[in-house]
Amino acid sequence: MHLAYPAVLSALLFCTGLYGVLARRNAILVLMSVELMLNAVNLNLVAFDVWLSRAAQETLHSGQALTLFTIAIAAAEIGIGLAIVLAVYRNRGTSDIDKLRDTAEGPETGGPDSSAAEKAEATA
């Protein structure tokens, strides 16, 4: 098989994953899109490993070894990411990324985390 076929397929997978990361609002769909992007990289690693091993007559197969590491990292990433999404869903009631932006902005003035002096300044 020619090298162009898996390279084009992996480019399509990567672009689909990139679109999913940029366009989706649900955190679980964003995680799935990241997995698509990692699978595109895995496909490229294996395809180029097979292509280079034919050209150089090597038996090292470093591309396939890197693919195994990528699969292990992807499994850990999806496990931790899903745990974070579920914890946020329990606390906030939604997994919509746009509605979760206020988490990174910090507490507002007059909120439960502000001191009595800040509350007095807010009312004055």
Side-chain angles (χ1 to χ4, degrees), residues 7-123:
V8 168
L9 178 62
S10 114
L12 289 173
L13 274 176
F14 192 84
C15 289
T16 304
L18 186 64
Y19 173 75
V21 167
L22 296 176
R24 298 293 177 189
R25 294 182 183 195
N26 190 349
I28 294 175
L29 291 177
V30 170
L31 286 174
M32 289 174 58
S33 298
V34 170
E35 288 294 320
L36 271 177
M37 292 167 64
L38 286 173
N39 285 331
V41 170
N42 286 341
L43 182 61
N44 261 339
L45 283 171
V46 171
F48 278 98
D49 178 53
V50 168
W51 183 65
L52 289 174
S53 68
R54 280 190 206 156
Q57 299 300 325
E58 289 183 9
T59 59
L60 187 59
H61 298 297
S62 57
Q64 293 177 15
L66 284 173
T67 299
L68 290 175
F69 284 119
T70 308
I71 290 170
I73 289 171
E77 174 257 336
I78 204 69
I80 292 172
L82 192 58
I84 291 171
V85 168
L86 288 176
V88 167
Y89 183 77
R90 278 190 201 153
N91 290 334
R92 298 282 181 148
T94 183
S95 63
D96 190 5
I97 294 174
D98 289 336
K99 293 181 182 175
L100 298 176
R101 289 188 189 191
D102 62 342
T103 353
E105 294 172 1
E108 295 178 7
T109 306
D113 294 334
S114 62
S115 66
E118 289 176 353
K119 287 182 184 177
E121 289 176 8
T123 57

